[in-house]
Amino acid sequence: MNLPALARLPLWVRLAAAILLLVTVTLTAIGAAGVTVLHGQLLDRIDSQLSSLAKAYPQVPEGPQEEAPAPNTYTAPAVGQYGVYRIQRHDADGKRVKSTHPGPEPRGGPEIPEDAAWLGRHAGHPVTVASSAGEGGWRVLVQPLAGTSGWVAIATALGELDATISKLVTIDLAVGVLGLVLLAVASVMIVRTSLRPLAKIERTAAAIAAGNLSQRVPEHPPRTELGRLGRALNGMLAQIEGAFQARAQSESTARQSEERMRRFVADAGHDLRTPLSVIISWAEYAHRGPPQDHAGLERILSTIGSEATRMSTLVEDLLLLARLDQQRPLERRPVDVLALAVDTVRDARLLAPDRDIHLTADDRADYIVTGDELRLRQALSNLTSNALAHTPPGTPISVELSQGRLDDTAALVLDVADQGPGLTPEQAERVFERFYRTDTSRTRRTGGSGLGLAIVASLAAAHKGTASVHTSPGAGATFRITLPLADAGAPSKERGDPPASSNAL
């Protein structure tokens, strides 16, 4: 059997062929067994008939005539009872001396050897011999004659038996062929229908190979093989899709991180180069021709000191962001954010006495968080400084403390709101990026470094909190810091509920 050639055939062809082969072998075995059993039963019946005939003819009268004996000598059975038969008598040497055939002359006769040894060897045992006519056969029973030396051979033709067996074989072949044809059609239909889900799986796999990772194998009952296969494939596909998405997201994040790093380095270099250039320029000016008057010298030293301070502040901010990026541990102790807010509002009023800056808080609530007091103070100061820098003079600023929820945990909510021009959606999306400036007209020398809000977001994340902005053009902006409270089990008021009492500063 050429197994590689079979392996190249479609699965439905191999399954249908296997079914047909098994059924053909089974039908052949059943037919052969049926024919064999029926042949044996008919032959046993004929042997029984021969035994009955042998008992009916215990002696055959001697004489040369070939006609039937007289009725008063023995009783001849009806011809139709036993079919066509013949009775032959043989002498002691095996020579046939008499032949009787009741009823019509049979076609041909049994080829019984005229041999005493053969007759003696088969005496008492039915045996099948050929016909002298060359067609069919005869069943012969040889019995020794009582009181004489000789044998009597009683034979019956096997034509009816052969015709019955031939008819049975013909019927078996016809029914078997018809059954195999019907089975072939049914098996092809059943096998192809059963394999149709595999064709769907094949199409799904082709779609996935083409890049559509969201495709899934159709579901089937979980107790079936296709159901278990489909569930396993869908699980594998989900993992593959998740891996591809994670890889794509990782690559995208890496590209964005690389782009941010390049922009960060470029902006940091640019912001550092500006004060350095100013310091170098004034230092060279002073070296070429130092001023003769005290006022000129003071102006040079003041400018150099101012730029050095600006550069030092920028370097400190960069170092702080670097430490936060490395997730270095901060100081962890209970901090009263309300006290920090009071100090921040007081400092803002000193910087902008013309503004309405007020603090609102519920004096019955606790605003204690666990964190670094110095860094939290810096975050609040950056928010108020950002509001002062990006709103017109005289714009009111409010600082509000309340309690809310952060991931189903009681949290402190600090809002710094202004009534300024607000931000566009694009600006709000990028406002916490490093070195991002919403006011493009502000120069790096006169404006901020663009790190204040980035530090706020990083400090909030370092304290396991969040920083966000709620704004729209012309409606002002509200910058919010949400931090988990030190006592997470204490009852808290949801954001938006009116406080029981408020204390405005």
Side-chain angles (χ1 to χ4, degrees), residues 10-33:
L11 180 59
W12 69 269
V13 174
R14 285 182 281 167
L15 289 176
I19 293 173
L20 289 177
L21 179 60
L22 291 176
V23 173
T24 301
V25 172
T26 303
L27 290 178
T28 302
I30 293 175

Side-chain angles (χ1 to χ4, degrees), residues 480-503:
R480 174 175 295 178
I481 296 178
T482 306
L483 301 174
L485 289 171
D487 186 5
S492 63
K493 302 177 183 59
E494 296 291 343
R495 179 65 179 156
D497 294 341
S501 62
S502 62
N503 180 20

Side-chain angles (χ1 to χ4, degrees), residues 309-326:
T309 300
R310 174 182 171 84
M311 185 170 61
S312 175
T313 301
L314 179 59
V315 171
E316 288 294 332
D317 290 343
L318 291 175
L319 290 176
L320 174 59
L321 287 173
R323 286 193 294 269
L324 294 176
D325 289 342
Q326 294 176 358

Side-chain angles (χ1 to χ4, degrees), residues 204-466:
T204 301
I208 294 172
N212 189 1
L213 297 179
S214 62
Q215 289 287 331
R216 290 295 181 271
V217 174
E219 295 185 358
H220 295 275
R223 293 182 179 273
T224 63
E225 292 79 2
L226 286 174
R228 293 192 293 269
L229 175 63
R231 183 171 54 186
L233 288 177
N234 285 335
M236 180 186 68
L237 293 175
Q239 292 183 357
I240 293 175
E241 183 181 12
F244 271 94
Q245 289 178 351
R247 177 181 177 183
Q249 184 177 2
S250 177
E251 293 177 352
S252 176
T253 302
R255 289 193 295 268
Q256 293 176 0
S257 177
E258 182 180 1
E259 182 63 26
R260 286 196 301 268
M261 181 59 67
R262 291 178 179 177
R263 188 169 62 249
F264 175 81
V265 173
D267 290 339
H270 194 284
D271 276 349
L272 288 173
R273 184 175 59 184
T274 300
L276 282 175
S277 299
V278 173
I279 292 174
I280 292 173
S281 298
W282 281 101
E284 289 180 352
Y285 173 74
H287 180 71
R288 288 196 304 267
Q292 301 298 325
D293 58 337
H294 182 72
L297 181 60
E298 286 290 337
R299 185 172 68 256
I300 294 174
L301 294 178
S302 175
T303 302
I304 292 176
S306 175
E307 294 299 329
T309 300
R310 174 182 171 84
M311 185 170 61
S312 175
T313 301
L314 179 59
V315 171
E316 288 294 332
D317 290 343
L318 291 175
L319 290 176
L320 174 59
L321 287 173
R323 286 193 294 269
L324 294 176
D325 289 342
Q326 294 176 358
Q327 298 182 350
R328 294 185 181 179
L330 300 176
E331 185 178 358
R332 311 291 292 181
R333 65 172 60 182
V335 179
D336 186 359
V337 180
L338 178 58
L340 298 183
V342 170
D343 294 342
T344 302
V345 169
R346 183 181 62 246
D347 295 341
R349 287 174 177 174
L350 293 176
L351 293 175
D354 59 330
R355 301 225 187 190
D356 178 14
I357 305 175
H358 61 277
L359 172 65
T360 303
D362 185 355
D363 55 5
R364 295 179 301 174
D366 292 329
Y367 301 104
I368 307 298
V369 300
T370 302
D372 191 320
E373 179 180 355
L374 180 61
R375 296 309 177 191
L376 291 174
R377 185 184 297 273
Q378 181 180 3
L380 269 65
S381 177
N382 285 0
L383 289 180
T384 56
S385 299
N386 179 77
L388 292 174
H390 294 280
T391 56
T395 302
I397 298 175
S398 65
V399 178
E400 181 179 356
L401 287 175
S402 62
Q403 291 186 359
R405 308 294 294 180
L406 178 64
D407 296 334
D408 297 330
T409 303
L412 174 144
V413 179
L414 185 143
D415 290 336
V416 177
D418 62 64
Q419 301 178 13
L423 302 173
T424 64
E426 293 78 12
Q427 291 173 338
E429 185 178 358
R430 299 185 56 191
V431 73
F432 290 104
E433 293 183 7
R434 299 172 185 182
F435 292 107
Y436 177 73
R437 296 177 174 84
T438 59
D439 188 358
T440 56
S441 63
R442 293 165 60 88
T443 64
R444 297 180 185 272
R445 183 172 180 179
T446 60
S449 63
L451 296 177
L453 294 179
I455 291 176
V456 170
S458 297
L459 287 174
H463 286 82
K464 303 185 185 307
T466 60

